[in-house]
Amino acid sequence: MKQKVVLRVELNNERTKHKAMKTVSDVHGIQSVFVDLKEKKMVISGNIDPVCAVLKLRKCCHTEIVLVEAAKEEEKEKEKEKEKVAVKVYEAYPLSYQMIPPQYSHGYYVKGYEDNPCGCVIF
């Protein structure tokens, strides 16, 4: 079940913000993380256990759970699936983009060892 978890975190600067985001991103099931330094809030969404996320975050900063709710994106995804229109899977390229074989013949030039008497020849 996809959840949206709002946490209050004590983040003082960008360094601690980066450390907290890295710590919480290691939790299994995280899909997105948003941090607001001004309000000192972190929003995590995904199929996660909020207590597990808080325990990991408490190792780097003070953390409290503010809100846990079911994500509303599931309803939107279902509506988008209904609105999908059938699309042609395969469409051939126009004639101007198709590969045309070269019109020239392959000629080869072979230089013998007799043309250069000072050259080294290995048989």
Side-chain angles (χ1 to χ4, degrees):
M1 182 176 157
K2 192 170 179 183
Q3 296 179 351
K4 177 182 171 185
V5 181
V6 180
L7 305 171
R8 181 178 296 124
V9 290
E10 293 295 326
L11 301 175
N12 300 325
N13 54 23
E14 288 291 324
R15 183 174 179 220
T16 54
K17 172 187 169 185
H18 180 70
K19 188 175 179 181
M21 288 182 72
K22 187 174 181 180
T23 302
V24 80
S25 65
D26 290 340
V27 177
H28 182 70
I30 295 285
Q31 290 183 346
S32 68
V33 178
F34 174 74
V35 178
D36 187 8
L37 280 177
K38 292 179 183 176
E39 296 183 14
K40 295 187 177 186
K41 289 189 178 181
M42 178 182 283
V43 180
I44 306 169
S45 64
N47 189 11
I48 57 170
D49 180 20
V51 176
C52 180
V54 169
L55 289 176
K56 281 208 170 200
L57 275 171
R58 283 190 178 166
K59 293 179 182 177
C60 67
C61 60
H62 180 72
T63 308
E64 298 175 4
I65 297 176
V66 176
L67 176 68
V68 178
E69 65 181 3
K72 298 176 183 175
E73 296 176 10
E74 294 176 5
E75 297 171 5
K76 291 179 183 178
E77 290 177 5
K78 289 178 183 177
E79 290 176 9
K80 286 181 182 179
E81 289 177 5
K82 292 177 183 176
E83 293 176 1
K84 287 184 182 178
V85 179
V87 179
K88 272 189 172 179
V89 176
Y90 175 76
E91 185 175 324
Y93 286 112
L95 187 58
S96 61
Y97 291 117
Q98 291 180 352
M99 181 75 174
I100 300 172
Q103 300 298 322
Y104 54 88
S105 64
H106 295 282
Y108 297 100
Y109 175 72
V110 179
K111 186 175 181 181
Y113 68 93
E114 293 153 355
D115 294 341
N116 189 0
C118 297
C120 178
V121 178
I122 299 174
F123 289 99

